[in-house]
Amino acid sequence: MKGYETKCIRNIALLGHGGAGKTTLAEAMLYTAGMTSRLGRVEAGNTVSDFDPEEVKRKISIRTSLVPIEWKEHKINILDTPGYYDLVGGIKEALSVADSALIVMKGSAGLEVGTEKAWEYATEANIPKMIFVTEMDAENVDMEAILTECKAKFGSSIAPVQVPWYEEGKFVGYVHVLKMMGRRFDGTKVVTCPIPDCLKEKIAPVRTMILEAVAESDEILMEKYFAEEEMTPEEIQEAYRKGVMEKQIVPVLCGSSLYSTGISVLMDTILDLFPSPDEGNKALGVLGMNEEPIEVVCNSTKQPSLFIFKTIVDPFIGKFSLFKVRSGIVRTDDILINSRTNEAEKLSHLYVLSGKEQKEVEKLYAGDIGAVAKLKTAQTSDTLADKAFPISYEKIVYPKPFVKMAIFPSGKGDEEKMSTSLAKLMAEDKTFYIEYDKETRETVIYGIGKQQLEIIVSMLKTKFKVDVYLENPTTRYRETIKSKVNVRGKHKKQSGGHGQYGDVQMEFEPSGDLEMPYIFEEKIFGGSVPKQYFPAVEKGLEECVMRGVLAGYPVVGVKAILVDGSYHPVDSSEMAFKMATTIAFKEGLTKAQPTLLEPIAHVEITVPDEYTGDIMGDMKKRRGRMVGMELKGKKQVIIAEVPMAELYTYATDVRSMTQGKGDVDYYFERYEEAPIDVQQKVIAARKDMA
């Protein structure tokens, strides 16, 4: 593949609902451009962008993949993203380097939740958008209804370019409303023809949409529009592109990916209306040791710098770092500095990836997307730059994962292999991470949703040959006491020679501070216990609070007072007093109304108003307590307090209840006494484990 200069590059994030046809559209573009000899199909598992065995098996995109397309002396870098929210990390990565977004809608399905999400992501990234309605050849596709729904949801920026043309129920062409020309499909070619009489009525409202959108992007044209003066085709075309570039106009095109109809027009429109990298947003970063904020225009005249937006770790081909050249020209054997580690990285080989295929190139111009293999320390979101241009670009901001599960190897001795493999998967997917819980001695994995964690488990088995299973993590319960007691603990042992003797009388009562395991005081009078043994008593307490008397959970909120005791001048020792304290502790806590505490989370659920009833009903089942509600934009934020044990997969459950429109955020708030029935279940479960 030849090198393309910045002006001739378009970087497009392909977004949309899961199953909307993004991957099929990428295939149609490749085929139309003559870059493949056959049209790959998701169902057949032979598409360019869905090449991972897990993607082939599940028939969905799991990771963002790069598909470069050469079209009319230009290069269109398609970033084919996953459509399911659990895999949102790939979308964030694509949008960090895309200069525009193509949102794919399935004609037979209309506006779906994933379409709304895609719009939100592209708006947040502040890049131009275009909508492509595919499957126009399917039955009962109502383009007018789709446009009306889009306009109602997304506003007056929606400006369709085409009116579909049907003959005997078959999609045969369209009217280009911007240019007021008829276009008929002839195989993969498009032939210009007169506008058919049957479509003239349908064209009028669409033409009005375009003129309204164009008028809103230019004051002079706004005056013309209200004065009902005719705009010239050149004025409309120029204002239309300006409106798209300034994110005020969103073109809507239509076609059929399955039969490659309307695809060449789509690619022409991408070249005409979407920005090249030097026309897109400036990259934000900080420069030098002083971290001076800087905006970088994408051009090839500056010193080279690149931003790594994705990492691929494969057991067979090794590690690939995908990057966008943010400035200058990057060449094979360049040595660039990693701004995070300050280490030099040599770019031994440069590649352009097309799905899993690697094409080696000698150089890449600013704005282009490529890959490099086997960098030493580089990670996703790292910046590599020339030593004379020490920039660090803004890192990708990922959503916080709230679904967590404990993971265990099925085979004995596979712990290390599991950990190594998980670390490789974590390098690929930054919305997934692992944590070893020292208290419960469990490896806990965190993800955006259950589907994502299921994919991780499957990848461990197929890619890394590690069989694992998931369980709910052990909840970090705590134990405390509710009453005051006075107990004695005596440790006495005689076995010839020096014996062991320790005797303590102690009071145990609630301290009122559940953040502290214990508070220790001594009120010894007359030297019944010498001061030298006080540290031993406290050491005994420190060890005892690690394991309570009910279910073996750590103890909190206990005040222990040493009030009396006795000692032996020969047989007493620090060990003896520590043992005596242990005896007193166990007896004391057993008598002082021990109780189990459960962790409580502060939870905020953001949902459209129509789902608040469902969420609140479900909240009661989870023993949650409502704290309040707030209006945030057009959505309700439900604030509640819920036991942590009820929340491990709650983020996924909320999305199921709200058709993917709800979001969850929560954090640990405090400990409080668990209901008796919960305590009994937890204690019984711990006894079964023992």
Side-chain angles (χ1 to χ4, degrees):
M1 184 174 282
K2 72 174 188 177
Y4 286 83
E5 296 195 11
T6 308
K7 282 281 180 193
C8 297
I9 296 168
R10 301 291 184 273
N11 296 315
I12 317 293
L14 214 54
L15 308 175
H17 192 81
K22 298 181 292 299
T23 299
T24 304
L25 175 59
E27 282 295 313
M29 293 170 80
L30 282 166
Y31 180 71
T32 303
M35 299 189 70
T36 55
S37 57
R38 52 113 179 99
L39 200 61
R41 294 176 65 99
V42 172
E43 294 77 13
N46 59 359
T47 63
V48 171
S49 59
D50 283 359
F51 58 87
D52 189 282
E54 201 65 32
E55 294 176 313
V56 173
K57 181 177 83 174
R58 293 174 184 268
K59 296 180 173 47
I60 63 169
S61 298
I62 290 170
R63 304 277 189 262
T64 287
S65 55
L66 179 63
V67 181
I69 296 167
E70 294 177 292
W71 181 250
K72 296 186 176 178
E73 298 302 313
H74 285 72
K75 182 183 183 186
I76 304 172
N77 285 319
I78 293 293
L79 294 147
D80 183 16
T81 69
Y84 294 95
Y85 184 76
D86 282 19
L87 310 169
V88 66
I91 298 171
K92 294 292 183 180
E93 288 165 352
L95 288 172
S96 72
V97 295
D99 300 304
S100 43
L102 181 59
I103 299 172
V104 182
M105 290 177 65
K106 188 186 286 187
S108 56
L111 203 157
E112 299 176 276
V113 174
T115 316
E116 294 180 42
K117 287 280 188 188
W119 183 279
E120 288 173 16
Y121 297 142
T123 302
E124 186 183 323
N126 193 31
I127 55 177
K129 299 182 279 284
M130 185 186 295
I131 293 174
F132 183 73
V133 182
T134 186
E135 280 196 8
M136 290 300 295
D137 49 320
E139 289 184 16
N140 303 318
V141 175
D142 189 340
M143 192 65 179
E144 289 178 52
I146 290 171
L147 290 173
T148 302
E149 198 175 3
C150 285
K151 212 164 178 68
K153 179 62 72 173
F154 304 134
S156 59
S157 62
I158 297 295
V161 176
Q162 303 162 328
V163 169
W165 177 3
Y166 290 93
E167 283 182 1
E168 298 178 358
K170 189 179 178 183
F171 180 50
V172 297
Y174 63 91
V175 173
H176 196 303
V177 187
L178 202 60
K179 297 179 179 178
M180 290 302 286
M181 294 178 180
R183 299 285 175 86
R184 194 178 182 97
F185 300 128
D186 180 13
T188 57
K189 294 179 182 178
V190 181
V191 181
T192 302
C193 61
I195 296 172
D197 293 336
C198 61
L199 290 180
K200 286 179 180 176
E201 253 185 66
K202 288 186 176 181
I203 292 169
V206 176
R207 179 77 172 173
T208 301
M209 274 192 206
I210 289 178
L211 295 179
E212 281 178 2
V214 164
E216 284 188 17
S217 70
D218 188 287
E219 285 185 21
I220 297 170
L221 296 184
M222 177 75 81
E223 289 176 15
K224 272 193 171 188
Y225 179 74
F226 282 119
E228 297 185 1
E229 292 180 29
E230 192 69 28
M231 300 180 203
T232 67
E234 292 76 20
E235 283 178 325
I236 294 171
Q237 182 71 30
E238 188 180 337
Y240 197 90
R241 184 175 195 270
K242 180 187 171 192
V244 172
M245 298 281 280
E246 294 179 354
K247 284 80 77 176
Q248 294 175 337
I249 291 177
V250 178
V252 183
L253 284 81
C254 59
S256 171
S257 305
L258 205 56
Y259 298 103
S260 297
T261 48
I263 305 303
S264 60
V265 178
L266 171 64
M267 291 193 286
D268 287 345
T269 308
I270 283 171
L271 299 186
D272 288 343
L273 299 180
F274 272 164
S276 55
D278 55 340
E279 295 174 304
N281 293 336
K282 296 175 183 175
L284 304 177
V286 292
L287 190 63
M289 295 290 288
N290 297 328
E291 296 193 344
E292 177 190 344
I294 186 173
E295 292 183 341
V296 177
V297 176
C298 193
N299 68 54
S300 298
T301 60
K302 293 184 179 180
Q303 298 100 326
S305 69
L306 60 86
F307 177 75
I308 297 171
F309 69 94
K310 179 176 175 56
T311 303
I312 299 173
V313 181
D314 189 277
F316 304 107
I317 64 172
K319 176 182 169 184
F320 272 88
S321 301
L322 275 68
F323 62 83
K324 179 180 183 179
V325 183
R326 285 269 168 87
S327 65
I329 302 171
V330 173
R331 294 178 168 86
T332 300
D333 291 333
D334 274 358
I335 296 175
L336 302 178
I337 307 299
N338 186 327
S339 64
R340 179 178 57 84
T341 63
N342 208 31
E343 288 195 38
E345 294 275 15
K346 186 177 181 180
L347 311 182
S348 300
H349 298 277
L350 293 177
Y351 301 94
V352 168
L353 299 187
S354 181
K356 66 180 176 182
E357 188 182 347
Q358 306 143 30
K359 300 173 184 176
E360 192 162 353
V361 294
E362 290 186 2
K363 62 183 178 181
L364 291 166
Y365 291 88
D368 210 347
I369 294 175
V372 60
K374 298 176 183 177
L375 295 178
K376 291 183 292 184
T377 61
Q379 301 174 3
T380 300
S381 279
D382 278 356
T383 297
L384 304 186
D386 189 276
K387 193 174 182 180
F389 185 49
I391 189 169
S392 180
Y393 293 108
E394 277 193 337
K395 295 184 180 297
I396 301 168
V397 179
Y398 295 96
K400 187 178 176 183
F402 284 106
V403 173
K404 62 178 183 176
M405 299 293 284
I407 187 167
F408 305 93
S410 299
K412 287 184 178 179
D414 277 352
E415 287 84 358
E416 189 175 339
K417 191 177 179 183
M418 180 185 79
S419 296
T420 305
S421 303
L422 283 171
K424 289 178 180 178
L425 291 173
M426 193 166 65
E428 279 196 320
D429 185 353
K430 291 298 182 180
T431 61
F432 161 73
Y433 72 92
I434 58 177
E435 181 183 84
Y436 181 73
D437 190 326
K438 291 180 181 177
E439 182 181 318
T440 63
R441 296 179 183 177
E442 293 173 343
T443 299
V444 180
I445 58 175
Y446 292 75
I448 299 296
K450 284 196 284 191
Q451 184 183 35
Q452 180 189 13
L453 298 188
E454 287 167 5
I455 289 169
I456 293 291
V457 168
S458 186
M459 282 183 164
L460 283 170
K461 189 172 184 177
T462 55
K463 263 191 178 183
F464 300 99
K465 312 303 176 190
V466 185
D467 206 1
V468 299
Y469 63 94
L470 301 179
E471 288 184 358
N472 279 340
T474 301
T475 303
R476 292 179 173 185
Y477 292 99
R478 294 288 182 264
E479 297 183 26
T480 193
I481 55 174
K482 294 161 69 175
S483 65
K484 182 177 180 179
V485 294
N486 187 304
V487 294
R488 194 169 205 99
K490 183 180 283 190
H491 176 66
K492 185 178 180 182
K493 195 173 182 183
Q494 196 71 43
S495 58
H498 282 302
Q500 293 182 34
Y501 184 90
D503 176 27
V504 295
Q505 185 177 340
M506 301 188 72
E507 287 180 355
F508 293 97
E509 62 184 47
S511 70
D513 184 356
L514 297 180
E515 292 185 10
M516 291 282 290
Y518 69 91
I519 296 171
F520 174 61
E521 292 181 4
E522 55 79 20
K523 294 181 180 178
I524 295 292
F525 296 100
S528 56
V529 177
K531 287 183 179 180
Q532 69 200 63
Y533 296 125
F534 292 172
V537 173
E538 185 166 7
K539 183 67 175 173
L541 281 172
E542 189 181 321
E543 291 180 5
C544 285
V545 295
M546 300 298 292
R547 188 174 175 82
V549 297
L550 286 176
Y553 287 102
V555 175
V556 294
V558 171
K559 185 175 183 180
I561 307 168
L562 178 62
V563 294
D564 201 359
S566 62
Y567 73 102
H568 188 281
V570 176
D571 292 346
S572 288
S573 65
E574 289 188 4
M575 179 59 71
F577 271 95
K578 197 166 89 167
M579 295 298 293
T581 303
T582 302
I583 293 166
F585 180 88
K586 288 180 179 176
E587 184 182 348
L589 259 67
T590 303
K591 291 179 177 178
Q593 288 184 265
T595 191
L596 208 62
L597 303 173
E598 63 180 348
I600 303 296
H602 175 97
V603 185
E604 296 187 6
I605 311 109
T606 306
V607 293
D609 196 51
E610 62 265 31
Y611 296 106
T612 54
D614 293 336
I615 294 296
M616 289 163 75
D618 178 72
M619 192 63 65
K620 289 179 183 176
K621 296 176 188 174
R622 297 175 189 270
R623 301 186 289 116
R625 289 189 300 270
M626 286 291 300
V627 174
M629 290 178 70
E630 295 174 1
L631 194 62
K632 186 178 179 181
K634 295 180 180 179
K635 292 185 177 181
Q636 289 285 354
V637 180
I638 300 168
I639 303 166
E641 291 181 344
V642 188
M644 277 280 197
E646 304 285 346
L647 295 175
Y648 295 129
T649 60
Y650 186 55
T652 295
D653 298 338
V654 165
R655 287 196 288 276
S656 297
M657 284 185 280
T658 61
Q659 298 182 339
K661 297 178 183 178
D663 289 311
V664 172
D665 190 3
Y666 67 82
Y667 57 84
F668 169 75
E669 181 75 59
R670 65 179 183 282
Y671 277 98
E672 67 176 41
E673 187 175 2
I676 293 298
D677 61 322
V678 173
Q679 293 197 40
Q680 289 170 345
K681 286 178 186 175
V682 173
I683 292 167
R686 292 284 275 194
K687 282 181 180 174
D688 290 342
M689 287 170 60

